[in-house]
Amino acid sequence: MNITDVRIRKISNDGKMRAVASITIDNEFVVHDIKIIDGQNGLFIAMPSKKIGDDNFRDIAHPICSEVRNQIKDHILAQYEKILEE
């Protein structure tokens, strides 16, 4: 799997969510609405989800193994840091 494109849309509010990302995989598949969140231990990503019931959320798309999750996270956060430097 190759992440061939990462697009970041910064969020301008005072909450914990810093940006929303979209990734393209192998120039063939896109995942939108990956959230970049500033948590207690630094930045992390949250995969796209939908609300079920009053307080429950369910991921719409997510990696099966931690290796792939880390690969996605690393690509997204690297692009986010690049945008912050501009």
Side-chain angles (χ1 to χ4, degrees), residues 18-64:
R18 299 292 180 234
V20 177
S22 296
I23 60 169
T24 304
I25 300 169
D26 293 327
N27 287 322
E28 296 178 348
F29 189 80
V30 177
V31 179
H32 295 290
D33 297 330
I34 301 170
K35 297 166 194 70
I36 300 173
I37 300 172
D38 192 3
Q40 291 179 338
N41 297 320
L43 295 173
F44 67 94
I45 62 168
M47 298 306 288
S49 60
K50 66 179 180 177
K51 191 171 185 176
I52 298 177
D54 291 334
D55 295 325
N56 296 318
F57 289 86
R58 178 177 224 170
D59 284 349
I60 295 169
H62 61 89
I64 300 297

Side-chain angles (χ1 to χ4, degrees), residues 8 36 43 76-86:
I8 306 289
I36 300 173
L43 295 173
I76 289 173
L77 294 183
Q79 185 66 24
Y80 178 71
E81 294 295 331
K82 191 180 208 182
I83 286 173
L84 290 180
E85 292 173 1
E86 295 175 352

